[in-house]
Amino acid sequence: MSSPAPSLASLVASGAPFALIARDADTVELLTGDVVDVELLGDIPLTAEDGTPREVLALVPFRQVRERGFVCHDDGAPLRCLLVDEHILFPRAELLGALPDAPVALADAGFDIADEDYAEIVRRVIADEIGRGEGANFVIRRDFTASVDADPRVAALTWFRALLEHERGSYWTFAIVTDGHVAVGASPEAHVSTEEGVVTMNPISGTFRHPRGGATVATLSEFLESTKETEELFMVVDEELKMMSAVCSDGGRITGPRLKEMSRLTHTEYVLRGRSRLDPRDILRETMFAPTVTGSPMQNACTVIARHETSPRGYYSGVAALFTPRTGPSAGEPTHDLDAPILIRTAYLVDGALRVPVGATLVRHSDPYGEVGETHGKAAGVLGAIGAVPRDAPPAAGDDDAPVAPRPRLADDPDVAALLASRNSRLAEFWLNPQHTGEREPFAGRRALVVDAEDRFTTMLAHQLRHLGLDVTIVPWHAVADEEVVGAELLVCGPGPGDPRDAGNPRIARMREVVSTRRASGRPLLAVCLSHQILADGLGIDLTPLERPHQGVQLSVDVFGDPASIGFYNTFTASVPPGTVRVGDAEISADPVSGAVSALRGPGFASVQGHLESILSRDGLRTLERLVAEAFTRAEA
């Protein structure tokens, strides 16, 4: 390994772009090279002019969601690529001694949105977005800003040193310095990585801010028992499984939950893994961006963000993507591996202005002032780690001069481990266990067309249908042709956000046409969630908003005499007078007290309100098989 001092000195003096990355406890990587800005992910230049693969570090801004057709405040932040021509490893301990450590002073520091104003935004999102069925959760950011009168390259190295010394548990600790732009951070979360065809995603959600003196088993246990924090994590796992199911032939498998213990915050996390032969740039496009920093469903989350955030995100919630050439890939396999952490817990410095964006995940249980406090905690975590604000004092150890022993990992405590493990008892075994195809495929040889109503739960639903033997194609609601609606062997009308009564919404109007046309044909139809509500409306059943939205809720419901534990993501419900079992030619399965309709079946059709594909649906696959069989049998009768 090289000596770091001459290299760092020359970097400061030269003005050349560089990146420092710490991905393990022993080494720091220095990357140097030329910088190019490109427009699209597919333009990232993974090969040199002579055709040889090359290493590239790309800063991917949030505005790239436009590639998926999603909306955003477009600030023109470039998709910036460092074309690596030199990649040097330094011992971490030696590098620390070569980095500057004089404090970097801040001036005019504070949040760009006042606490009360942010709390009001939280209230509006809960009432107007989650309350109207626009989605299950949304991440709305605010920025901590300050002025910095220091050389930006020296500031970057100073802050990087402070993170190495004072932050722990990060996935990447990094400083990326290019012309006019500095990004320094300690991201706890790998968004997506690929290595020899194995895709990994790492959804992290739930934030426990350590009390002064540090976290204890008692304080952490209270956090782990929180319904809000548990459901928040389950919802983001569901959202990332949608992405995994889109890029991986085996749909993905969950392991965890685990604790992500950092210096000032602790999070809960799962790891998702699957196999894919896609180009890593395509994998990155299909997984833009993490629901932990946007919300779900993803497309509508971007729309909600654009409504409630008044300024562009820049690189916040984007990724830093390192594409590394593989050695001797087989024919047809991708030539690069990918390692892409989410750009959170990051400070940006441009033209003397420091910006630290932070966001809170808003769900139906959210307390506005609790979410205000979460943004303060996240900002303080970054600012304290880089030494921009005073750090929390370490816990006492008998007297002020006595050394403080390192705290044991709370994840090793048996009570904490038991609380974490107990979460999986609520989840579907289908996503926790290896998924072996060919063991039992009751619908082998049959075909299904799935209509996506802007909720990529359809990718998970399609994966489960394939597991049952069906040959499945997914088509967006606006692209499905009438002849496909009538001609499909099995038509599956999927879930989506919004008010099913809103005929003025083009998506709702088209889904009404699709459901009614298919039902009139008498051919097999399965309708899920939003489409179930639309089917019920066509049968003359009332649609009403729930008093409390069922977003990420696990319920035990009766499905025609068969009790089933199913995950629900709905704000509206079809409802009948309690005791009603039939409307016209449709049989109804409904709650005996509220009359909320959980399932319908009739000539050629079956439907369900819950998401059988969700990780919360312990009986999802069994119920899905049963309802598909009902649709086929009743159409053929």
Side-chain angles (χ1 to χ4, degrees), residues 343-633:
L343 288 171
I344 53 175
R345 309 292 196 276
T346 300
Y348 301 94
L349 182 58
V350 178
D351 296 331
L354 174 70
R355 187 172 70 97
V356 179
V358 290
T361 301
L362 313 184
V363 298
R364 61 191 177 92
H365 294 302
S366 287
D367 168 67
Y369 293 106
E371 305 299 354
V372 167
E374 181 163 327
T375 61
H376 277 275
K378 288 177 177 176
V382 177
L383 295 164
I386 66 175
V389 299
R391 301 183 181 99
D392 289 341
D399 63 68
D400 292 342
D401 298 321
V404 179
R407 284 182 171 271
R409 294 176 66 250
L410 291 172
D412 295 333
D413 181 89
D415 291 337
V416 170
L419 276 174
L420 283 169
S422 69
R423 291 185 171 189
N424 285 354
S425 65
R426 298 179 56 187
L427 303 185
E429 291 186 3
F430 178 82
W431 299 108
L432 292 168
N433 298 328
Q435 299 159 15
H436 302 294
T437 58
E439 291 181 344
R440 183 174 178 276
E441 297 182 341
F443 306 114
R446 310 199 79 159
R447 294 176 178 271
L449 182 69
V450 178
V451 181
D452 187 334
E454 291 187 4
D455 187 336
R456 295 219 310 177
F457 261 128
T458 50
T459 61
M460 295 169 66
L461 184 59
H463 179 64
Q464 288 196 326
L465 291 168
R466 293 186 185 108
H467 190 80
L468 296 173
L470 288 149
D471 183 355
V472 182
T473 302
I474 301 175
V475 61
W477 65 270
H478 54 80
V480 64
D482 287 342
E483 54 266 30
E484 293 178 297
V485 171
V486 174
E489 186 173 4
L490 170 67
L491 189 74
V492 180
C493 291
D499 185 340
R501 306 166 301 179
D502 183 7
N505 181 304
R507 177 171 49 82
I508 301 296
R510 180 54 180 158
M511 290 305 296
R512 285 185 170 193
E513 293 173 353
V514 169
V515 170
S516 63
T517 299
R518 182 66 179 193
R519 182 173 163 237
S521 76
R523 306 201 69 196
L525 166 67
L526 175 65
V528 178
C529 196
L530 175 71
S531 296
H532 157 86
Q533 296 164 5
I534 289 171
L535 174 64
D537 183 63
L539 293 167
I541 299 172
D542 290 339
L543 300 179
T544 57
L546 292 165
E547 184 176 343
R548 290 179 62 84
H550 288 162
Q551 296 292 350
V553 176
Q554 186 180 63
L555 300 174
S556 181
V557 296
D558 177 84
V559 181
F560 303 112
D562 183 13
S565 178
I566 295 174
F568 284 75
Y569 286 84
N570 64 302
T571 297
F572 296 87
T573 187
S575 60
V576 295
T580 303
V581 296
R582 182 178 289 275
V583 171
D585 59 3
E587 293 180 59
I588 295 174
S589 189
D591 184 89
V593 176
S594 69
V597 178
S598 57
L600 296 165
R601 64 184 179 187
F605 67 80
S607 71
V608 64
Q609 175 61 75
H611 285 262
L612 305 180
E613 68 282 4
S614 166
I615 61 166
L616 292 169
S617 292
R618 296 175 59 203
D619 300 311
L621 188 65
R622 172 174 60 82
T623 306
L624 178 63
E625 179 181 344
R626 181 182 174 204
L627 291 180
V628 170
E630 291 269 9
F632 276 128
T633 301

Side-chain angles (χ1 to χ4, degrees), residues 29-82:
E29 302 163 68
L30 171 63
L31 284 61
T32 58
D34 295 330
V35 167
V36 298
D37 295 341
V38 299
E39 180 63 22
L40 302 173
L41 289 169
D43 298 332
I44 295 174
L46 298 186
T47 55
E49 291 183 2
D50 62 2
T52 59
R54 66 179 167 200
E55 189 170 35
V56 178
L57 174 64
L59 276 176
V60 183
F62 181 71
R63 68 187 287 264
Q64 293 306 130
V65 295
R66 296 171 303 120
E67 291 195 44
R68 293 183 60 187
F70 300 171
V71 302
C72 67
H73 294 299
D74 190 350
D75 56 355
L79 201 178
R80 179 151 291 179
C81 300
L82 177 66

Side-chain angles (χ1 to χ4, degrees), residues 47-331:
T47 55
E49 291 183 2
D50 62 2
T52 59
R54 66 179 167 200
E55 189 170 35
V56 178
L57 174 64
L59 276 176
V60 183
F62 181 71
R63 68 187 287 264
Q64 293 306 130
V65 295
R66 296 171 303 120
E67 291 195 44
R68 293 183 60 187
F70 300 171
V71 302
C72 67
H73 294 299
D74 190 350
D75 56 355
L79 201 178
R80 179 151 291 179
C81 300
L82 177 66
L83 311 182
V84 180
D85 57 26
E86 191 170 29
H87 191 151
I88 305 171
L89 295 182
F90 295 132
R92 181 189 284 227
E94 290 185 24
L95 182 83
L96 277 173
L99 290 167
D101 62 355
V104 176
L106 305 186
D108 306 317
F111 278 103
D112 61 337
I113 299 173
D115 286 356
E116 191 56 53
D117 293 339
Y118 187 79
E120 181 56 30
I121 292 172
V122 174
R123 294 186 192 98
R124 288 202 306 270
V125 170
I126 295 170
D128 298 342
E129 308 295 357
I130 298 174
R132 286 205 315 256
E134 297 299 325
N137 56 87
F138 302 106
V139 179
I140 304 299
R141 84 173 209 291
R142 64 199 296 221
D143 296 345
F144 186 94
T145 63
S147 299
V148 175
D149 184 17
D151 182 295
R153 303 170 77 81
V154 173
L157 295 176
T158 302
W159 294 336
F160 181 70
R161 172 176 179 153
L163 289 171
L164 290 180
E165 288 183 312
H166 298 287
E167 187 55 275
R168 63 169 179 156
S170 59
Y171 180 68
W172 269 32
T173 301
F174 59 90
I176 302 172
V177 179
T178 60
D179 186 27
H181 190 272
V182 166
V184 183
S187 175
E189 187 168 355
H191 175 48
V192 64
S193 65
T194 66
E195 185 174 359
E196 297 185 349
V198 176
V199 179
T200 302
M201 298 184 75
N202 179 210
I204 296 176
S205 193
T207 300
F208 173 60
R209 186 181 181 184
H210 299 173
R212 189 167 184 83
T216 64
V217 170
T219 56
L220 181 62
S221 296
E222 182 179 356
F223 162 76
L224 292 176
E225 291 169 342
S226 163
T227 299
K228 184 252 186 194
E229 300 294 348
T230 301
E231 291 183 353
E232 185 178 307
L233 179 60
F234 289 161
M235 284 188 277
V236 297
V237 172
D238 257 340
E239 191 69 18
E240 294 207 1
L241 269 175
K242 299 177 190 180
M243 299 175 180
M244 291 289 288
S245 295
V247 300
C248 296
S249 58
D250 58 358
R253 178 173 174 260
I254 303 169
T255 57
R258 307 184 309 199
L259 286 185
K260 171 70 72 171
E261 297 183 59
M262 304 188 74
S263 298
R264 295 156 187 81
L265 305 170
T266 291
H267 307 283
T268 46
E269 65 178 358
Y270 279 92
V271 174
L272 283 51
R273 287 193 176 91
R275 298 199 66 86
S276 178
R277 295 176 69 90
L278 293 178
D279 183 300
R281 292 169 295 189
D282 295 331
I283 291 173
L284 193 55
R285 182 185 302 106
E286 288 300 310
T287 60
M288 289 192 301
F289 281 113
T292 51
V293 285
T294 53
S296 64
M298 178 66 197
Q299 182 166 353
N300 226 40
C302 290
T303 302
V304 170
I305 287 168
R307 277 200 288 262
H308 295 277
E309 291 185 0
T310 58
S311 61
R313 287 192 162 198
Y315 293 98
Y316 170 71
S317 71
V319 297
L322 182 62
F323 298 88
T324 302
R326 288 181 55 192
T327 303
S330 302

